[in-house]
Amino acid sequence: MKVLVSARCKPQSRVIIKNSNYTYGDAIDYFARKISNENTKILIEIETIRHEIRELEDSLKKTKRKIEHKREYLQLLESRYSDEVQVDEVVMDSIRAIRSIAETFDCEPTEIDRFTGADTLEFHAKKCGITRLELEELLRRKL
């Protein structure tokens, strides 16, 4: 049984079909077999998956480049960062004075306010131009 099918195609396709000695019906039947053929479906799926893999590989390369750039930037920042505290002479004088007071009262340097009756740590911090917390941190370190 045959059915009537009408279709529009490119002029080049019309010329190819005419020159092939096939009828339009034969060409449509051939095309229908091609797209329904199991191997053709598998081949199309293979090509699709290969394309997806290429896209994923490209994405992976971009991600690896981004990671490498971030690592380089991290190394740059780490090279600029110094764990060593640069302490000027005024701060060192205050630290020495606080430690001397702490030795006199036999206490920790951060606890001298309890023994002096004044806010000695705050006074020295303001004198040095740093916060009290920064001064306490410097006192905890063995400078």
Side-chain angles (χ1 to χ4, degrees):
M1 177 177 153
K2 300 247 178 183
V3 293
L4 180 61
V5 176
S6 80
R8 293 181 183 266
C9 64
K10 295 181 182 178
Q12 304 96 311
S13 300
R14 181 178 178 192
V15 172
I16 291 170
I17 293 170
K18 233 180 206 186
N19 292 339
S20 69
N21 295 325
Y22 288 105
T23 66
Y24 289 107
D26 291 337
I28 290 174
D29 288 340
Y30 173 78
F31 179 70
R33 279 193 311 275
K34 267 305 204 189
I35 61 174
S36 66
N37 185 341
E38 187 64 29
N39 282 337
T40 305
K41 289 179 185 178
I42 291 172
L43 183 62
I44 290 170
E45 190 171 356
I46 288 171
E47 288 303 316
T48 302
I49 291 173
R50 283 183 179 157
H51 179 71
E52 289 173 356
I53 289 172
R54 281 192 297 273
E55 286 179 348
L56 289 170
E57 286 173 339
D58 290 344
S59 176
L60 181 62
K61 286 176 187 176
K62 289 177 185 175
T63 303
K64 284 182 178 180
R65 280 196 302 270
K66 284 181 182 178
I67 290 171
E68 189 58 35
H69 288 285
K70 291 286 184 184
R71 282 191 178 134
E72 290 171 2
Y73 185 63
L74 177 63
Q75 287 175 346
L76 174 67
L77 291 177
E78 286 174 341
S79 70
R80 288 182 181 172
Y81 176 76
S82 175
D83 202 24
E84 302 281 325
V85 177
Q86 302 296 327
V87 180
D88 63 9
E89 197 56 39
V90 175
V91 176
M92 282 306 296
D93 287 343
S94 289
I95 290 173
R96 284 190 211 102
I98 292 168
R99 286 191 175 146
S100 173
I101 295 168
E103 285 178 21
T104 304
F105 290 109
D106 193 29
C107 66
E108 290 294 318
T110 55
E111 298 174 350
I112 63 169
D113 287 346
R114 290 190 350 216
F115 298 97
T116 60
D119 201 358
T120 308
L121 291 176
E122 188 69 31
F123 167 77
H124 281 283
K126 284 183 180 177
K127 180 177 116 180
C128 297
I130 60 176
T131 66
R132 179 187 176 115
L133 292 174
E134 288 174 315
L135 182 60
E136 287 176 357
E137 180 64 31
L138 291 172
L139 288 168
R140 284 186 197 98
R141 295 183 183 188
K142 302 299 180 198
L143 298 177

